[in-house]
Amino acid sequence: MNLYYTKPLALILALTLPSLAEDANQMAFFEKHCTDCHDDETTKGNFNLTALQMDFTNPDNLIKWKNVYDRIESGEMPPKKKSRPPEEERLAALATLGHQLTDAESKSLVATGGRTMVRRMNREEYQNSMRDLLDLPLLHVAEMLPEDGQKYGFDKVAGALDISHIQMTKYLQTADVALRQAMVPTIEKPENKKWRQLASAQDSSRQAISSNMAVPLKGHKLAPGFATHYVGNPKDDIGNTYRTATFEGEADSVAALCNIFGAHMPQGIQIDKFNAPIGGWYTVKFSIWSLRWNLTTAEPSKRGMVQTYTVSGPPYFQDKDGVWQDTPLKTPIVQTNATPPWMENVEFYGEKEATHIVRASLNGIPIGYYDALSMKPTEHELKIWLNPGDHPSFHVMTALGGGATNWPSQNGVKSYEGPGVAFDWFEVNGPFNEQWPPASQQCLFGDKPISEVLPVAEQMKLLETFAARAFRRSLEVDEIKTYSNLVDCEIKRGSPYAEAMLTGYKAILCSPDFLFIGLESGIPQAAKDTLATAGDYALASRISYFLWNSMPDATLLNLAANGTLTQPAVLKKQVERMLVDKRSNNFIKHFTNEWLELKKIDATTPDINLYPEYDTWLHDSMLEETLATFRRMIMQNRSVKEIVAADSIMINQRLAELYGIRDVLGAEIREVKLPKDNPRGGIMTQASILKVTANGTATSPVLRGVWVMERVLGIPRQPVPANVPAIEPDATGAVTIRQMIEKHRADAACATCHSKMDPGGMALEKFDVIGGFRDRYRLAPGGKEGDTIIIVQSSSSGRNRVPMRLGSEVDASGVLDNGQTFADLNSYRKLLLDQEDVLARNVVRQLMIYSTGAGIRFSDRPAIDAIIAKAEASKYGMRSMIQEVVASSLFQAK
Amino acid sequence: MTHIAATPLARRTFLRGAGATLALPFLDAMRPVFGAAAATAAATGPPRRMLSICTNLGVLERHFYPTTGGRDYALTPYLETLKDFREKFTIFSGTSLPDVTGGHSAEITFLTGAAHPGTASFRNSISLDQYAADRIGHLTRVPSLTLSVAKGGSQSISCTANGVNLPAERSAAEVFKGLFMAGDAAAIAKQVENLRTGRSILDAVADRAAALQKKLGTADASRMDQYFTSVREVERRLLIAEEWEKVPKPKVSVAKIEDGEWLPEKLASMYELIHLAFATDSTRLITLFIKLDGFSEHIPGVATDAHGLSHHVGRVDKLEELKNLELAQFGQLAGLYKRLDSTKEADGSLLDHTQVLYGSNLGNGNNHDTKNLPVILAGGGYKHGQHLAFDKDNNYPLTNLYVTMLQRMGIEADKFSSSKGTMKGLEFA
């Protein structure tokens, strides 16, 4: 027995920290109810309370004591099996410990001047600020900067935003790149011109035609002048022989018959004959329609192909008499007219004419998705910034991956039947310039050409205006001299005027006053024991980097300047205004990226053999769904409950296919009433979430469960104990993931955490890695014969029907750590919906960390509780919670 | 036989040339570069360098990989050409870049490891050499060299952090001029001016940060201190770069390099250039992309274009031609090893301080397979002489080797791209 242990706990503590050991009742409480199990002899749950010093200046200790507080408060400790302390004793012990923790934290405030620290912008904030400051809405500089760190789940927290010399070098470079993009090379205003050409005249169309990937059309027929022939010697050198096509005639349109054109033509159909004379805004118009190619003729694009289709499972199956059930078609699988004939799944939308989907992109970045209606040319328009050398690209998302073959024995597109999209013409108008020189240059050089040297007073004025906007406040007396002296100096050294001015602007963009958020109101003086207010200008920036993820606009800065921004009514009105402004999309996107971990969407790619139906349209659609849902929660002030359940969802055709919902045609996301018995509704069951919580091959209830625990319930995970092997998913079908987890949890040390972590993941287990619903697991190819489903897919691998083996049935039941059981997802949902305040508290905490860039301390809890209490009246509506966060003392303090 | 002035002499000349223009504070700023180079030459040895070569159509596995792993493998026809250096290289089998698919598209990801090139939504990421250049590039006149041997185009295997492919220099003669022939005074002056402007900017903002720091509370002041320190560090680096511009270029005994027209000549020229660049410490990071498409002329026993040969579809005659083509490439590689190894440096050779990575983005050119990439690493200070054989069905991440290579360069990195650790079984010498 340890000599120390023979002494009373109070005495041990007295030896280490006498001042805190004075509370004898507290010590007696610990000794009576805790140290039986948590001493150095028994050390249950690997926790030894007798070794934990009451030194709260040590951050690790502070966290441990907070855990002690939380466990006692929630009633988890002492455990139910042991004798319970009388309630007044328990509350007294909590109160004492609570005071000690609050006291310790308020002492540390003196050192920091507040709960937040000044911090540099993250790269998203930097890019958005540069866009607003320079009036360059499509400036791309974020990726020139190193990736940002993360703390408490967000890249907005001071402790995670370090500056290295690499970071600083990049700031110099990005400032230079951005400033030069703001300037125009010509003095004359470029003429706004209209350019229009047939799609079939583009080089990419010609190339696609020659490689059997597209056909030229005259009317609805193959255009005259088209011929196929083979290259090589099929008799002696079949390996180097293939079918190609030539086209010498005129065509009204070009129909693309496959999705991607392989590694040799990743650009798809491209507007390659148009060359932007100068960087600027252009409108691009194009006309498209969908069709079904049948050897030499374009026919109505009947029977839309779906990307997921099962033969033996829902939504369609063949009964034992071979009759198709639960499908609008008698024969959902048809043989095509192709040579050789091949089978195609064509049902889901019944005998209706299908809408096909075209994606427009620029340099690999999607611009939008557009509908191609059957046989009905439809004009679409998009507005985009084009630089010289930029050519928008178009891909058909709903065509098959393969299209016609280039086998010499086949006749190319003339022996092919399948879906396609015809492109009629492209029109480009622009560049559009509302003013000249463009606004971006005017904010640097005024309305005179760059070559015209302005009087010194006007130079100063330009620099001052720019600096005040960049620093998000009014300038101090003589503050501009740092920068104007630099310009002077450069001119004296013989630099050209424009270069000298740029040097001044670069210095402004590299200064701490621009790069650091939190300096706007000068240096706040922390009052003892209370939080200093952030100050008007600092508040303007805080609210702006919160709701726009960018710098404040003139309205906010004016309100800060005249001291009215802190008035509750004014502030409330500003929040409403900002949420309606389109810049709030920056918030919606960035906040969900971090909070819901959507930024991990590409961390893994679904295994092409297991999930051949996964494609880029689905990828982009699933992200859009979550953004649209969160936007709707804000705009319609919908309840926080919609994280868990909702009776309508925001989807498009691709998601409707994945979710098994009929009659949703087209690319646009719209509100759809959730059909009865459909398992969707609520953010938690959206494909995006199910994808980010899985890897490319298998789901793990543990990883999904941790996501639910942290992101929905707001319980942080405990660090993984050393020497515990992780659970490894196995797609061979030998053991189920549930069996593996149950084995793992049989160990009591593992069970403590896993009983909290796993339930959410168990409930979501009926969703696969791309968010599809499943009753049975898919198995890796190979292995024994078994039940098989057929997957239809259009993109990645060029195959269009993939047999998939099915494994064991999925079980979505489980037990909460408080012993409540659930049979399936819906009964788990009910358990979550009963804890509305828990869901709300989590969202408020996440919003608070995101907006203030600091973690939630123990002593901040009452302030958070007050926000929750105020938001209850709105049934925890999302917009109300945002309003209450902004109105809170915590948000407005340094 | 080496054509260059011995490195120590070059360095002395260089310092003498620089000395005249140096003011005192400058000497202090330069110390970590030149002072350190001189001092560490004695302490930790000469600079560490890295050359990465990617040949784009694969290497026939049957003539390349030994049948057994470990140290006692039997030489294969290709390795026979390198046999003089057997103890100075390691062969890797069963490795590939995780999630890199797309056949030929994978050319641009050989050194980046970015997933799924060739798809419509693909974005590339930083390449191994540029990652290193961001950290050590300032130590030499040229941060890195991006070269290619190709019939046309400027594609390279180097990418910026932004995923932008750096244009490759195809002319060894031009690069030679840039490195070793003095530029005109106006160009030098302009570059010096740009770098000086950068320093003035930083000087202004550093003053501001210093003033702020005095007024802020301790926690905020520590953030500002980090900013201030970074600014000073960049200033120092810009100063170094500025001085490089003024420093006379190293002298080499070769008057010029010819580009050559055929594959063997082009390779020989590039390898000669690479040797000179490393030996004069003009750079420590070079990539070479060998785009074989269209080459066939003047290679004994080869009549068909290289891309056509890679799709041999199992034909015996094509396979024989392909073997001859690849033997010619390995012959040139042996020449490079020899050049590097016969230049003495410190108590070893230049090869001992230069990692030479040679590999392909294709494991099998015939079917565009991007698994089981052929990889061989020579020199650089490892315990070589073995064949590290990994699982052919379940490949080991090649990006692990990239992490090891960074660490061998003295760069603190525990992750690169898709890596899951460092290369198992490869130890520093």
Side-chain angles (χ1 to χ4, degrees):
Chain A
M1 182 175 280
N2 187 309
L3 183 63
Y4 254 70
Y5 183 64
T6 58
K7 297 178 187 171
L9 177 75
L11 181 57
I12 300 167
L13 292 167
L15 287 172
T16 52
L17 257 175
S19 65
L20 286 167
E22 283 163 17
D23 195 311
N25 291 338
Q26 186 186 28
M27 290 307 120
F29 180 88
F30 288 145
E31 203 180 352
K32 196 162 147 201
H33 299 290
C34 309
T35 54
D36 260 5
C37 299
H38 298 293
D39 63 357
D40 53 2
E41 215 175 44
T42 318
T43 324
K44 277 229 169 157
N46 209 11
F47 178 63
N48 178 1
L49 183 65
T50 61
L52 181 61
Q53 298 201 352
M54 269 207 165
D55 172 13
F56 297 118
T57 57
N58 176 335
D60 291 336
N61 280 359
L62 192 66
I63 290 169
K64 282 181 184 154
W65 280 114
K66 276 190 218 174
N67 280 340
V68 170
Y69 182 95
D70 288 344
R71 297 281 158 89
I72 300 172
E73 197 214 14
S74 69
E76 186 184 337
M77 288 288 149
K80 292 181 196 72
K81 294 174 262 187
K82 302 280 174 178
S83 67
R84 310 286 294 179
E87 191 59 8
E88 66 268 27
E89 252 182 59
R90 192 179 77 100
L91 291 177
L94 279 175
T96 311
L97 184 54
H99 276 304
Q100 290 163 334
L101 289 167
T102 309
D103 189 52
E105 284 183 348
S106 74
K107 275 182 189 143
S108 76
L109 279 188
V110 179
T112 56
R115 58 180 276 279
T116 68
M117 281 193 282
V118 296
R119 65 172 181 93
R120 68 162 170 85
M121 298 175 188
N122 64 37
R123 57 185 189 169
E124 287 285 325
E125 293 167 331
Y126 177 87
Q127 175 167 284
N128 290 336
S129 300
M130 294 287 265
R131 285 176 175 181
D132 287 350
L133 183 60
L134 295 171
D135 217 323
L136 289 173
L138 284 177
L139 180 72
H140 283 284
V141 286
E143 287 181 14
M144 289 178 70
L145 299 172
E147 229 176 298
D148 297 310
Q150 207 187 45
K151 209 170 170 185
Y152 310 119
F154 293 103
D155 62 359
K156 292 229 177 197
V157 176
L161 297 168
D162 292 327
I163 294 194
S164 66
H165 69 87
I166 295 177
Q167 184 88 25
M168 206 59 228
T169 306
K170 301 289 178 188
Y171 280 141
L172 264 182
Q173 289 167 356
T174 46
D176 189 68
V177 166
L179 287 166
R180 286 183 199 281
Q181 280 193 31
M183 295 155 62
V184 284
T186 54
I187 295 176
E188 289 304 308
K189 179 174 177 172
E191 216 181 317
N192 176 357
K193 279 188 190 153
K194 177 169 144 183
W195 175 96
R196 186 178 166 118
Q197 265 193 14
L198 288 171
S200 58
Q202 306 307 302
D203 289 340
S204 52
S205 301
R206 296 281 167 158
Q207 201 187 332
I209 289 168
S210 74
S211 26
N212 316 295
M213 301 186 287
V215 285
L217 295 176
K218 193 85 186 167
H220 291 160
K221 290 277 181 193
L222 192 56
F226 175 90
T228 76
H229 46 92
Y230 58 77
V231 175
N233 179 354
K235 226 167 136 195
D236 298 330
D237 192 9
I238 187 76
N240 286 316
T241 306
Y242 55 92
R243 174 75 56 174
T244 180
T246 50
F247 177 54
E248 308 286 343
E250 293 283 310
D252 300 334
S253 38
V254 59
L257 300 181
C258 55
N259 177 327
I260 52 162
F261 295 163
H264 294 289
M265 253 190 94
Q267 77 272 33
I269 299 283
Q270 206 174 35
I271 309 180
D272 45 35
K273 290 282 183 71
F274 173 77
N275 285 302
I278 182 175
W281 286 106
Y282 294 81
T283 56
V284 175
K285 289 185 193 169
F286 55 98
S287 167
I288 51 174
W289 47 283
S290 65
L291 54 99
R292 185 166 186 82
W293 184 248
N294 192 355
L295 311 181
T296 58
T297 313
E299 298 174 349
S301 66
K302 240 179 187 185
R303 298 178 304 202
M305 187 197 68
V306 292
Q307 328 252 333
T308 314
Y309 173 70
T310 64
V311 171
S312 61
Y316 317 112
F317 61 97
Q318 224 168 350
D319 67 16
K320 54 183 183 301
D321 303 323
V323 179
W324 289 96
Q325 299 294 329
D326 206 14
T327 156
L329 293 178
K330 279 194 184 123
T331 317
I333 293 190
V334 297
Q335 183 173 314
T336 65
N337 273 325
T339 320
W342 51 281
M343 306 296 287
E344 189 184 3
N345 301 281
V346 288
E347 50 320 305
F348 198 73
Y349 292 102
E351 295 287 350
K352 289 190 195 103
E353 292 186 355
T355 299
H356 284 271
I357 308 296
V358 169
R359 183 181 80 164
S361 63
L362 185 66
N363 300 325
I365 299 166
I367 301 165
Y369 291 86
Y370 302 89
D371 295 354
L373 307 175
S374 174
M375 306 303 268
K376 191 180 159 198
T378 308
E379 213 178 291
H380 296 280
E381 182 177 318
L382 56 97
K383 195 178 176 200
I384 189 174
W385 182 280
L386 293 177
N387 286 320
D390 281 347
H391 302 288
S393 280
F394 299 88
H395 294 84
V396 182
M397 306 314 289
T398 44
L400 297 174
T405 75
N406 65 353
W407 302 344
S409 58
Q410 307 304 325
N411 200 8
V413 296
K414 286 183 174 178
S415 45
Y416 180 74
E417 184 196 339
V421 167
F423 293 77
D424 297 323
W425 45 261
F426 295 121
E427 188 181 302
V428 186
N429 283 291
F432 293 101
N433 287 292
E434 282 162 12
Q435 43 185 323
W436 195 262
S440 58
Q441 183 173 304
Q442 291 211 20
C443 70
L444 302 175
F445 294 97
D447 54 6
K448 302 288 189 313
I450 292 175
S451 52
E452 193 178 321
V453 180
L454 295 176
V456 174
E458 283 184 47
Q459 291 175 16
M460 286 285 272
K461 187 78 206 136
L462 281 169
L463 283 169
E464 276 175 347
T465 312
F466 186 85
R469 289 181 63 217
F471 300 167
R472 311 173 292 276
R473 58 175 167 80
S474 57
L475 297 186
E476 291 157 26
V477 178
D478 286 346
E479 188 179 1
I480 200 63
K481 281 204 172 151
T482 304
Y483 308 99
S484 60
N485 286 346
L486 204 52
V487 177
D488 274 355
C489 210
E490 290 299 306
I491 288 177
K492 286 197 186 106
R493 290 184 66 101
S495 286
Y497 158 70
E499 288 298 318
M501 286 294 278
L502 283 186
T503 302
Y505 289 128
K506 267 186 248 178
I508 290 169
L509 294 176
C510 291
S511 75
D513 300 274
F514 172 65
L515 295 172
F516 277 78
I517 298 173
L519 287 171
E520 297 85 355
S521 291
I523 316 298
Q525 301 301 318
K528 202 172 168 12
D529 295 333
T530 53
L531 295 173
T533 53
D536 288 274
Y537 281 119
L539 183 63
S541 277
R542 180 168 288 178
I543 188 174
S544 168
Y545 282 100
F546 176 25
L547 297 179
W548 286 346
N549 214 28
S550 185
M551 54 179 17
D553 65 355
T555 309
L556 283 169
L557 290 178
N558 286 338
L559 292 171
N562 66 28
T564 51
L565 185 60
T566 45
Q567 291 172 11
V570 173
L571 200 52
K572 188 166 184 188
K573 206 172 139 202
Q574 286 306 309
V575 171
E576 294 295 319
R577 176 180 77 93
M578 294 176 76
L579 286 174
V580 172
D581 189 286
K582 70 177 193 312
R583 276 170 282 189
S584 64
N585 285 334
N586 293 337
F587 158 61
I588 290 170
K589 189 152 190 229
H590 197 71
F591 180 64
T592 50
N593 255 346
E594 303 271 311
W595 167 40
L596 302 174
E597 297 183 4
L598 292 187
K599 67 175 170 191
K600 293 186 183 165
I601 193 87
D602 293 321
T604 63
T605 306
D607 185 331
I608 201 160
N609 291 314
L610 280 170
Y611 296 95
E613 71 267 44
Y614 184 75
D615 60 19
T616 52
W617 185 28
L618 177 57
H619 168 276
D620 292 354
S621 298
M622 53 173 73
L623 289 174
E624 279 306 314
E625 179 192 14
T626 306
L627 297 182
T629 307
F630 190 64
R631 187 178 295 121
R632 187 176 72 157
M633 285 175 81
I634 294 173
M635 295 311 165
Q636 301 178 10
N637 204 20
R638 285 176 173 248
S639 164
V640 70
K641 282 184 173 178
E642 296 206 348
I643 295 168
V644 176
D647 49 17
S648 65
I649 55 178
M650 307 292 289
I651 55 170
N652 63 4
Q653 177 178 328
R654 184 69 189 91
L655 289 163
E657 288 171 358
L658 185 75
Y659 295 172
I661 297 170
R662 291 182 201 278
D663 296 328
V664 178
L665 293 182
E668 199 193 341
I669 298 272
R670 83 290 311 258
E671 190 169 308
V672 173
K673 195 172 174 343
L674 192 68
K676 201 168 170 290
D677 296 331
N678 191 294
R680 308 290 162 163
I683 290 175
M684 206 173 73
T685 49
Q686 291 178 348
S688 62
I689 302 301
L690 298 161
K691 169 146 186 8
V692 297
T693 55
N695 65 32
T697 52
T699 57
S700 159
V702 181
L703 296 183
R704 275 201 184 142
V706 167
W707 185 92
V708 173
M709 182 178 83
E710 286 191 327
R711 305 286 139 194
V712 176
L713 299 171
I715 305 166
R717 78 182 89 179
Q718 302 296 319
V720 182
N723 305 324
V724 177
I727 300 169
E728 258 191 75
D730 171 325
T732 63
V735 260
T736 68
I737 185 83
R738 181 173 285 269
Q739 287 165 338
M740 281 185 270
I741 290 172
E742 273 160 13
K743 191 176 155 210
H744 188 77
R745 282 173 64 169
D747 185 338
C750 300
T752 328
C753 290
H754 277 273
S755 63
K756 287 197 187 71
M757 293 191 313
D758 302 347
M762 292 291 192
L764 292 171
E765 186 64 357
K766 286 214 172 181
F767 297 102
D768 62 29
V769 307
I770 62 167
F773 188 81
R774 64 184 172 192
D775 281 316
R776 297 172 66 181
Y777 292 100
R778 289 184 189 180
L779 297 183
K784 291 200 304 275
E785 285 302 307
D787 290 338
T788 303
I789 57 170
I790 304 294
I791 309 293
V792 176
Q793 58 87 42
S794 65
S795 54
S796 356
S797 70
R799 297 169 299 167
N800 52 51
R801 297 182 76 237
V802 184
M804 184 71 54
R805 288 195 310 134
L806 290 180
S808 55
E809 291 192 0
V810 183
D811 177 357
S813 67
V815 191
L816 298 192
D817 67 324
N818 65 9
Q820 285 177 296
T821 60
F822 53 93
D824 55 17
L825 174 63
N826 272 338
S827 53
Y828 176 73
R829 265 199 178 113
K830 289 200 185 84
L831 296 175
L832 288 191
L833 292 174
D834 287 344
Q835 313 175 51
E836 210 177 359
D837 61 322
V838 172
L839 303 179
R841 178 168 284 103
N842 168 56
V843 171
V844 167
R845 287 174 64 102
Q846 307 279 7
L847 288 169
M848 190 62 82
I849 297 169
Y850 179 87
S851 61
T852 60
I856 307 292
R857 302 165 312 152
F858 183 84
S859 48
D860 297 335
R861 290 179 181 186
I864 299 283
D865 289 341
I867 296 171
I868 302 295
K870 283 185 184 152
E872 195 185 355
S874 69
K875 296 212 162 63
Y876 306 112
M878 190 56 81
R879 195 165 76 243
S880 299
M881 291 200 290
I882 291 170
Q883 280 285 14
E884 294 302 341
V885 164
V886 173
S888 71
S889 57
L890 217 48
F891 182 85
Q892 296 183 21
K894 154 74 170 128
Chain B
M1 170 71 201
T2 167
H3 301 276
I4 53 159
T7 318
L9 178 66
R11 189 171 285 129
R12 264 205 307 281
T13 318
F14 167 73
L15 282 174
R16 241 197 336 266
T21 66
L22 301 184
L24 262 177
F26 174 65
L27 280 176
D28 191 41
M30 294 285 272
R31 188 182 300 127
V33 180
F34 299 106
T40 49
T44 59
R48 300 263 167 209
R49 312 170 181 90
M50 184 162 88
L51 166 65
S52 312
I53 307 169
C54 172
T55 177
N56 74 323
L57 296 174
V59 173
L60 271 178
E61 69 283 4
R62 68 196 76 180
H63 303 313
F64 178 63
Y65 293 121
T67 47
T68 57
R71 299 192 62 84
D72 301 325
Y73 64 86
L75 288 171
T76 56
Y78 291 170
L79 296 180
E80 188 70 34
T81 62
L82 306 173
K83 67 173 187 296
D84 293 350
F85 309 96
R86 179 172 175 139
E87 291 308 314
K88 296 208 171 192
F89 65 74
T90 300
I91 310 132
F92 304 86
S93 63
T95 72
S96 58
L97 298 163
D99 290 326
V100 169
T101 52
H104 296 302
S105 317
E107 286 169 358
I108 50 172
T109 57
F110 180 69
L111 275 193
T112 71
H116 303 295
T119 57
S121 57
F122 167 73
R123 299 297 296 274
N124 214 344
S125 53
I126 194 164
S127 58
L128 181 66
D129 60 310
Q130 292 306 303
Y131 184 91
D134 273 353
R135 284 147 185 87
I136 61 158
H138 63 287
L139 298 177
T140 50
R141 175 180 296 273
V142 183
S144 67
L145 280 177
T146 302
L147 309 173
S148 77
V149 165
K151 282 270 177 178
S154 61
Q155 191 187 333
S156 79
I157 50 171
S158 296
C159 281
T160 66
N162 208 7
V164 177
N165 193 242
L166 289 171
E169 183 53 73
R170 267 192 294 137
S171 165
E174 287 301 315
V175 179
F176 178 88
K177 274 188 215 163
L179 286 180
F180 305 115
M181 293 165 78
D184 78 82
I188 291 175
K190 177 147 190 350
Q191 185 55 19
V192 167
E193 193 57 24
N194 284 344
L195 294 163
R196 192 199 50 74
T197 310
R199 282 196 296 116
S200 320
I201 290 169
L202 293 170
D203 212 35
V205 298
D207 285 350
R208 171 66 183 152
L212 275 169
Q213 217 178 324
K214 287 191 196 117
K215 292 189 262 175
L216 290 168
T218 43
D220 286 343
S222 74
R223 304 314 293 175
M224 201 50 62
D225 180 55
Q226 209 181 45
Y227 170 92
F228 182 78
T229 312
S230 306
V231 168
R232 288 296 181 215
E233 176 63 19
V234 181
E235 276 190 277
R236 193 180 69 87
R237 285 167 186 247
L238 288 182
L239 188 57
I240 292 164
E242 203 177 313
E243 290 309 316
W244 272 118
E245 287 299 323
K246 300 174 190 163
V247 164
K249 293 183 173 172
K251 294 216 172 2
V252 287
S253 58
V254 187
K256 64 172 181 176
I257 291 183
E258 302 280 355
D259 281 339
E261 197 172 343
W262 320 117
L263 181 68
E265 297 172 13
K266 278 182 183 292
L267 285 172
S269 300
M270 278 299 178
Y271 289 154
E272 183 178 7
L273 171 75
I274 288 167
H275 174 221
L276 292 174
F278 280 149
T280 52
D281 202 22
S282 297
T283 189
R284 295 175 191 173
L285 299 160
I286 303 180
T287 64
L288 174 65
F289 179 48
I290 306 172
K291 192 172 177 68
L292 288 173
D293 305 58
F295 283 116
S296 64
E297 311 92 332
H298 295 245
I299 306 166
V302 177
T304 315
D305 139 61
H307 194 160
L309 283 182
S310 74
H311 295 292
H312 52 76
V313 293
R315 286 171 45 173
V316 177
D317 52 340
K318 299 285 178 201
L319 281 165
E320 193 56 31
E321 281 187 59
L322 183 53
K323 182 182 176 187
N324 292 331
L325 174 85
E326 293 180 345
L327 275 173
Q329 283 186 263
F330 277 101
Q332 291 298 335
L333 184 64
L336 172 69
Y337 287 179
K338 192 171 175 193
R339 280 176 193 280
L340 295 174
D341 204 36
S342 54
T343 303
K344 297 298 158 218
E345 188 181 50
D347 49 3
S349 73
L350 197 51
L351 182 63
D352 294 332
H353 311 119
T354 305
Q355 308 183 59
V356 183
L357 175 76
Y358 187 90
S360 177
N361 49 289
L362 289 177
N364 181 344
N366 192 30
N367 65 2
H368 290 164
D369 190 10
T370 51
K371 295 284 164 208
N372 295 308
L373 303 180
V375 177
I376 175 165
L377 179 72
Y382 295 98
K383 289 180 184 161
H384 282 304
Q386 53 174 339
H387 167 209
L388 286 174
F390 295 96
D391 189 343
K392 282 194 162 26
D393 297 320
N394 186 11
N395 276 186
Y396 184 81
L398 181 59
T399 35
N400 284 13
L401 175 62
Y402 295 174
V403 176
T404 302
M405 289 171 71
L406 286 172
Q407 292 180 351
R408 180 72 280 196
M409 293 294 292
I411 292 168
E412 277 181 40
D414 53 13
K415 177 138 182 70
F416 179 79
S417 187
S418 56
S419 74
K420 300 256 190 290
T422 53
M423 176 49 75
K424 201 159 65 185
L426 181 66
E427 289 170 25
F428 289 0

